[in-house]
Amino acid sequence: MDANEWKKSVTGGNCPPWCVSQHDDEDPEIDTILHESTPSTMALPPLVNGTVYTASLSTSARETFQDQQRTTQLDLGLIDNRDRSPLGDYVPVTSRHQADALADGLEATAAKIRALRVHLPD
């Protein structure tokens, strides 16, 4: 199988069901095929200076013609709403254990927010 035949076997109808990427411009002989989901986002409250960041979580998978293996991960990052650019690097979540730990931490933080909200005005 040549590189273009391989590309057809991993894109189009053969992409992961969550993939929203267009792969037309990816050259399988030199590029990594990158599958990405639509991100799940949450705008954070504005900073004191008015800057607003958005937390973003998406699924991505990479595969190359040379390796012919797909590696899937969750990507957690912050986006600066002024120019929609990433704020620093993203956090790769590469295992179920890491995903569970992240979910547990977020749930614990949400519980703390709910517990502390009684101290705030309506």
Side-chain angles (χ1 to χ4, degrees):
M1 174 181 319
D2 73 12
N4 286 314
E5 289 172 348
W6 171 81
K7 178 181 175 181
K8 289 177 187 174
S9 76
V10 298
T11 60
N14 298 310
C15 282
W18 41 262
C19 180
V20 296
S21 298
Q22 298 297 316
H23 302 287
D24 300 336
D25 295 335
E26 294 171 333
D27 182 343
E29 292 187 10
I30 57 174
D31 293 332
T32 296
I33 302 295
L34 177 62
H35 303 284
E36 292 181 295
S37 70
T38 301
S40 175
T41 61
M42 182 185 81
L44 301 174
L47 299 179
V48 173
N49 69 6
T51 302
V52 177
Y53 297 120
T54 296
S56 175
L57 179 68
S58 60
T59 306
S60 67
R62 292 160 178 75
E63 51 193 319
T64 63
F65 174 62
Q66 293 76 16
D67 295 337
Q68 296 191 12
Q69 293 182 347
R70 182 178 292 167
T71 57
T72 303
Q73 66 186 35
L74 302 177
D75 300 326
L76 175 63
L78 289 176
I79 299 167
D80 187 331
N81 286 10
R82 290 176 293 194
D83 58 5
R84 303 298 303 160
S85 65
L87 184 67
D89 211 345
Y90 64 92
V91 177
V93 179
T94 59
S95 70
R96 291 179 183 167
H97 174 73
Q98 287 179 330
D100 289 344
L102 175 63
D104 291 346
L106 291 170
E107 288 168 353
T109 300
K112 288 178 185 173
I113 292 169
R114 286 188 183 94
L116 293 172
R117 68 184 286 284
V118 300
H119 302 291
L120 300 173
D122 286 338

